[in-house]
Amino acid sequence: MADVLPLVEARLRTALGEPDARAAVTFLGTERIEVLRFHEGGIVRYATLGMSAQPMTDPTAMLADPVKGPRAELVLSVRAGVTETDKVLRPLAVLAASPQVEGLVVTPGASLDVGEPLWPGAPFTSVLVAEPGGLVEDLELDDPMDPVRFLPLLPMTPNEAAWKRVHGAQALQEKWLAQGTDLRDPSRRSVPLE
């Protein structure tokens, strides 16, 4: 089996250009997670590298399959220069390690919460996992491995996260769209949820 991470990094570089910074975090009992930073115009993108090294395993499965199963990396895009968004590196690494640590299978529509602001002063403690395929195309791997999906993360305020739990991810995304919400604004306020 080919080592997945060099292929994943090559796909990120093809889609986003050369990273201008990278940081690595290792949590006890997990493999190393890196976060790469890319600048494109007025947008800064943070992409995890390491989450896809192993397939995500259903926590109810008796045995973890070392080859088959969904694989993903996370991508967060925000406006550059508004606030200290580089402090998001550790929270992103925590989210990327959650399949190894907590046995989560991260899929579009899921909410991921770090329990603290994503960066200093951020009005967000959680993210909505969006559909892949727009910014970075899926990376096909040799059979029988599943492709690596690059999942965009959309920051949510606590009110939005609570509303999403009741009404669902699609309804929240429709609210954002109807209000013309700039989801890349790192200091935006919660969308009206009446």
Side-chain angles (χ1 to χ4, degrees):
M1 292 288 159
D3 186 5
V4 171
L5 296 185
L7 302 173
V8 170
E9 184 168 353
R11 175 57 53 96
L12 286 168
R13 287 171 185 266
T14 300
L16 304 176
E18 286 299 309
D20 66 353
R22 63 193 310 143
V25 180
T26 305
F27 303 100
L28 188 63
T30 68
E31 293 185 31
R32 179 170 122 144
I33 302 287
E34 288 189 84
V35 180
L36 309 181
R37 183 181 71 191
F38 303 86
H39 273 96
E40 179 186 333
I43 303 295
V44 61
R45 301 185 198 284
Y46 302 94
T48 62
L49 179 63
M51 182 176 169
S52 62
Q54 301 296 324
M56 293 181 275
T57 304
D58 183 338
T60 62
M62 293 295 279
L63 288 173
D65 190 319
V67 177
K68 293 172 80 174
R71 294 174 190 259
E73 296 290 352
L74 308 175
V75 181
L76 174 69
S77 301
V78 293
R79 295 213 178 283
V82 178
T83 187
E84 290 184 81
T85 56
D86 279 354
K87 304 284 187 181
V88 77
L89 300 176
R90 185 167 176 75
L92 265 182
V94 167
L95 296 178
S98 61
Q100 291 180 54
V101 175
E102 300 173 34
L104 292 178
V105 176
V106 179
T107 58
S111 299
L112 302 175
D113 196 317
V114 293
E116 62 185 34
L118 292 176
W119 51 82
F124 319 106
T125 60
S126 63
V127 293
L128 174 65
V129 181
E131 291 291 332
L135 187 60
V136 184
E137 288 183 29
D138 292 355
L139 172 64
E140 296 295 329
L141 300 174
D142 295 337
D143 276 342
M145 294 189 286
D146 289 18
V148 176
R149 303 172 86 200
F150 298 88
L151 302 172
L153 301 180
L154 308 175
M156 293 188 293
T157 66
N159 286 347
E160 290 169 340
W163 197 86
K164 181 252 174 198
R165 280 192 293 277
V166 174
H167 299 280
Q170 183 66 37
L172 178 58
Q173 289 178 306
E174 288 169 7
K175 273 273 190 215
W176 283 335
L177 190 59
Q179 297 290 324
T181 307
D182 180 2
L183 296 173
R184 294 177 179 168
D185 180 352
S187 56
R188 74 172 179 84
R189 300 198 182 283
S190 183
V191 71
L193 298 168
E194 307 79 42

